[in-house]
Amino acid sequence: MNRKVIIIGSGPAGLTAALYTARANLNPLVFEGNQPGGQLTITTDVENYPGFPEGIMGPELMEQFRTQASRFGAECHFKHVTKVDFNTHPFKVWVADEIFTADSIIIATGATAKMLGLESEKELMGYGVSACATCDGFFYKDKKVIVVGGGDSAMEEASYLTKFASEVKIVHRREEFRASKIMVERVMKNERISVIWNSSIKEILGSKDKGVHGVILEDVQNKNTKEEKCDGVFMAIGHKPNTDLFGDILDSDAAGYLITKEGNTATNIEGIFACGDVQDHVYRQAVTAAGSGCMSAIDAERYLETLKNN
Ligand code: NAP
């Protein structure tokens, strides 16, 4: 059966698009992907999503998004899209050998924070390890935290964290930052921030019960290791938009983020829309992703109307 709309991705953007398209009677099919619920499912408390004054756990919030979209008829499948063909209309989407077609597609595949690749980092994600200072900084009032990275994100996260933390140490693998001069200057002037140069994190110490209590640092030059105490570790080594599926079919910027038209969510292919972090490297918040998911749904609905009239 040809669908009016297929949504790829199930974070705040995808599930908001699902809610809106479902309420518009478009009977959306949602492929949730390998991380159903998206990046919020690897955070714990979410305190900045409006409407939850007491905060809510990330996975629970996403479950509520899904329940709300399903209530109006969105079909959410825990399947991962493996291939697409946007050159013919209706558009084709594959899940392994199964083919699905739709008149419009909403891409909400998000972005993935780059990680160091340590087991302990994976294990303690949401329990002292974070990739979002805006989301989790508040939990580190008067604590010691480490920020990893040397780009603008690391500078921004470190500066932001000084609103809460008593001490912020930036761990960088070289002896020079790649961040812009102005952001480096701001960091260097901040008395609460210090830098550990030429170092990488070999291990994050802690447990899910008690959180993080330190890291093992390695000096990249002489390979000496030492323990550094801290209460939290913020990864700021970049994000990667999840666009592997789309190859060169859709316009993207130098960092790989999909380009959408000014003021709406249309991509360069008519009928294909993109929302959330896959097209936003600036705000990256659940609420902004949800907002752009709503925009995509309305854009798709309007596009489908034009098909009817032709
Ligand atoms: P980025 O510029 O790619 O910087 C990533 C940093 O992480 C680099 O310093 C890199 O080290 C380090 N790194 C990467 N992989 C690592 C690993 N495995 N282990 C240890 N360190 C690692 O990423 P970003 O800072 O997220 O910035 C992305 C883009 O967004 C940039 O264009 C940036 O200007 C922009 N941005 C702008 C603002 C702003 O203007 N307000 C804020 C945030 C981001 P090396 O330097 O050694 O490669």
Side-chain angles (χ1 to χ4, degrees):
M1 178 185 73
N2 184 48
R3 294 280 179 157
K4 292 198 179 73
V5 57
I6 285 179
I7 297 167
I8 310 177
S10 59
L15 292 177
T16 302
L19 168 65
Y20 272 75
T21 48
R23 287 193 80 249
N25 279 336
L26 298 175
N27 189 25
L29 177 60
V30 183
F31 291 119
E32 296 224 6
N34 283 339
Q35 192 177 38
Q39 293 178 77
L40 277 193
T41 58
I42 53 167
T43 61
T44 48
D45 281 316
V46 178
E47 292 188 330
N48 55 6
Y49 200 87
F52 296 91
E54 305 302 325
I56 182 166
M57 298 301 269
E60 193 190 335
L61 178 62
M62 295 324 298
E63 190 52 47
Q64 296 210 20
F65 267 63
R66 186 179 295 112
T67 304
Q68 193 174 358
S70 303
R71 183 180 146 211
F72 296 102
E75 276 178 53
C76 298
H77 291 255
F78 294 120
K79 289 182 172 175
H80 187 68
V81 172
T82 47
K83 194 167 91 170
V84 295
D85 180 357
F86 296 159
N87 292 316
T88 52
H89 199 267
F91 304 115
K92 292 196 187 87
V93 167
W94 279 260
V95 173
D97 293 336
E98 281 180 282
I99 298 191
F100 301 83
T101 63
D103 290 332
S104 68
I105 306 276
I106 294 177
I107 297 170
T109 47
T112 307
K114 290 186 193 160
M115 301 305 262
L116 299 172
L118 305 171
E119 261 320 301
S120 49
E121 161 193 59
K122 220 193 271 172
E123 156 107 14
L124 296 170
M125 191 64 174
Y127 299 89
V129 177
S130 169
C132 177
T134 321
C135 319
D136 298 327
F138 185 77
F139 303 116
Y140 294 89
K141 266 191 187 146
D142 302 322
K143 306 250 169 163
K144 275 177 74 170
V145 297
I146 280 179
V147 173
V148 189
D152 283 335
S153 292
M155 302 305 116
E156 201 169 65
E157 304 270 270
S159 298
Y160 180 79
L161 284 165
T162 58
K163 288 177 198 257
F164 313 101
S166 53
E167 201 179 335
V168 178
K169 290 192 173 173
I170 300 176
V171 172
H172 184 39
R173 63 183 176 184
R174 293 189 293 133
E175 55 190 4
E176 194 187 354
F177 287 136
R178 72 167 58 234
S180 51
K181 217 171 154 198
I182 184 163
M183 293 181 80
V184 173
E185 274 172 16
R186 200 171 298 151
V187 156
M188 293 314 225
K189 273 193 211 147
N190 192 322
E191 283 174 359
R192 287 198 191 184
I193 304 178
S194 57
V195 185
I196 304 176
W197 301 103
N198 293 314
S199 295
S200 61
I201 292 184
K202 285 284 132 193
E203 208 54 72
I204 299 170
L205 308 170
S207 65
K208 278 191 169 165
D209 290 344
K210 294 191 176 151
V212 164
H213 63 82
V215 296
I216 304 286
L217 291 178
E218 182 184 78
D219 184 313
V220 296
Q221 289 164 336
N222 59 25
K223 304 290 174 205
N224 288 343
T225 57
K226 67 168 183 180
E227 188 177 328
E228 180 73 38
K229 289 201 183 328
C230 66
D231 305 295
V233 181
F234 286 80
M235 297 300 159
I237 60 174
H239 282 77
K240 184 185 174 301
N242 301 321
T243 52
D244 289 350
L245 268 183
F246 314 115
D248 295 332
I249 323 167
L250 296 174
D251 289 347
S252 53
D253 67 13
Y257 288 86
L258 297 184
I259 295 174
T260 48
K261 303 232 161 82
E262 178 96 39
N264 66 61
T265 64
T267 66
N268 56 304
I269 299 184
E270 220 186 342
I272 310 277
F273 304 89
C275 51
D277 287 13
V278 73
Q279 51 85 59
D280 167 27
H281 62 89
V282 179
Y283 300 104
R284 294 199 296 241
Q285 299 302 299
V287 66
T288 49
S292 72
C294 160
M295 289 165 68
S296 268
I298 293 172
D299 291 341
E301 194 183 347
R302 288 186 180 150
Y303 165 76
L304 292 166
E305 281 299 316
T306 65
L307 291 187
K308 263 195 225 161
N309 299 335
N310 286 334

